[in-house]
Amino acid sequence: MTAIVAERFSDPSWIFEPKLDGMRCLVYRHGDQVRLLSRNRRRMNERFPEIADSVSSRAAADVVLDCEVVAIEGGRPSFGALQARAQRPAPVLLYVFDVLHLDGRSTRELPLVERKELLPAAIDVGEHVRLVPHRAGDGHGLFTELCSLGWEGVVAKRAASPYTSARSSDWRKLRCTLRQELVIGGFTDPSGERRGLGALLVGYFDDDGRLHYAGKVGSGFDQQLLVALRRVLGEMEIAASPFGVAGAPAAGAHWVAPTLVCEVAFAAWTAAGLLRHARFIGMRSDKPARAVRRETSAR
């Protein structure tokens, strides 16, 4: 897992990769068996059959890879296009950035730079498969280039670090714009000509399992999505607020079981711990709600 860094940086002991606006995917191949799993261990083979087929023909016979599934729209990754594939077809690619197991042995304890050197032997680049490019040392330059092209940002990784599944300061996000995964705990009614719902009431869990209120998200939706969300959330309504920490507005609120995760873009956190100018990006079915924390600076 990755920490957030407030400031870009360059350092010769770090490597820097583009941050891809997609869905994390662990790839397992053992002989003829191929499994694509999301972060919360949900099978993805049927959702991305073209990627599963590519892995079966291009990956080593005994391998575990850490990757991201990305939809391309307008020449760059788009999470919105990935979510809307059922209504609006978009090409998808598997971007491979790490190898955890290869040919009968674990590679997790190897330094990252050595795992990177193993990637060409772990999977062949071709249709639907790419290796994530990286740059040694120059975080400033890559950050400036990607932000000017409208990408999400950069992931910085300590070159000598082993692979870990836990949160670690050895992997750091440098975002061009602020984004955060949040748990939906309620919604408000629409007003005027708006249909479905007015805004989502969102929050994040702390380490004690309490849901903190983080604010309202009322933009970034189209009418079709508003109606669909109201239908889903209406079936999840509960009597009392799920937010264990005071601050959520009770007037006009509908409370829901806090199990669904969405991603939002926003301008800043206020001094009161609320989102400023939050905009809905999409639903995140690949992360369990209880794992959602407020992302904070690593230093």
Side-chain angles (χ1 to χ4, degrees):
M1 298 175 68
T2 316
I4 301 295
V5 180
E7 300 292 337
R8 73 186 84 173
F9 68 98
S10 293
D11 190 311
S13 63
W14 290 71
I15 66 172
F16 299 86
E17 302 172 350
K19 188 174 188 317
L20 301 170
D21 196 8
M23 184 178 294
R24 189 80 168 267
C25 176
L26 283 173
V27 170
Y28 295 79
R29 185 183 181 194
H30 184 68
D32 294 333
Q33 294 185 338
V34 170
R35 288 185 299 153
L36 312 180
L37 297 181
S38 68
R39 286 187 295 183
N40 55 352
R41 312 299 290 181
R42 291 183 178 177
R43 182 179 165 92
M44 301 166 67
N45 294 52
E46 290 72 27
R47 186 171 182 180
F48 304 110
E50 63 270 67
I51 288 178
D53 289 345
S54 288
V55 169
S56 66
S57 63
R58 294 185 176 278
D62 181 26
V63 70
V64 181
L65 301 165
D66 202 347
C67 318
E68 192 150 352
V69 178
V70 174
I72 304 299
E73 186 174 64
R76 62 176 181 264
S78 168
F79 185 69
L82 187 64
Q83 283 220 312
R85 283 189 81 214
Q87 296 78 35
R88 189 176 72 246
V92 290
L93 297 170
L94 182 75
Y95 274 91
V96 184
F97 57 83
D98 215 331
V99 55
L100 288 63
H101 179 95
L102 180 62
D103 295 336
R105 70 180 183 116
S106 172
T107 59
R108 295 170 66 105
E109 295 302 319
L110 294 176
L112 174 60
V113 288
E114 293 185 25
R115 301 198 307 273
K116 290 285 190 185
E117 292 173 357
L118 293 175
L119 284 177
I123 192 165
D124 292 331
V125 171
E127 187 179 16
H128 302 299
V129 177
R130 303 287 189 274
L131 300 184
V132 176
H134 63 275
R135 183 178 297 181
D138 184 19
H140 283 287
L142 185 61
F143 183 88
T144 300
E145 291 174 23
L146 292 177
C147 291
S148 69
L149 294 172
W151 284 55
E152 188 182 348
V154 169
V155 179
K157 300 179 180 180
R158 200 181 302 273
S161 63
Y163 184 92
T164 177
S165 301
R167 184 175 293 275
S168 170
S169 61
D170 287 338
W171 286 17
R172 303 178 180 181
K173 297 177 188 175
L174 296 83
R175 293 189 186 274
C176 299
T177 58
L178 294 176
R179 287 169 69 150
Q180 166 83 55
E181 292 164 337
L182 292 161
V183 179
I184 300 173
F187 63 92
T188 62
D189 288 323
S191 61
E193 297 183 359
R194 193 175 177 111
R195 299 169 57 202
L197 55 82
L200 298 176
L201 307 177
V202 297
Y204 56 90
F205 283 100
D206 63 21
D207 291 338
D208 294 323
R210 299 180 302 170
L211 185 64
H212 291 247
Y213 179 65
K216 296 181 179 181
V217 183
S219 67
F221 310 95
D222 58 29
Q223 292 282 20
Q224 182 179 3
L225 179 57
L226 287 169
V227 172
L229 281 172
R230 177 59 182 261
R231 183 171 57 252
V232 171
L233 295 175
E235 297 176 352
M236 300 171 58
E237 285 196 53
I238 56 178
S241 170
F243 296 102
V245 180
H254 298 259
W255 308 117
V256 302
T259 59
L260 296 181
V261 178
C262 66
E263 185 168 351
V264 303
F266 61 102
W269 288 98
T270 70
L274 301 178
L275 303 169
R276 178 178 287 128
H277 305 311
R279 176 173 55 87
F280 180 83
I281 299 296
M283 300 298 294
R284 300 296 319 211
S285 61
D286 58 331
K287 184 167 186 175
R290 288 281 172 177
V292 172
R293 301 289 189 272
R294 176 173 168 176
E295 295 180 337
T296 56
S297 175
R299 60 183 185 178

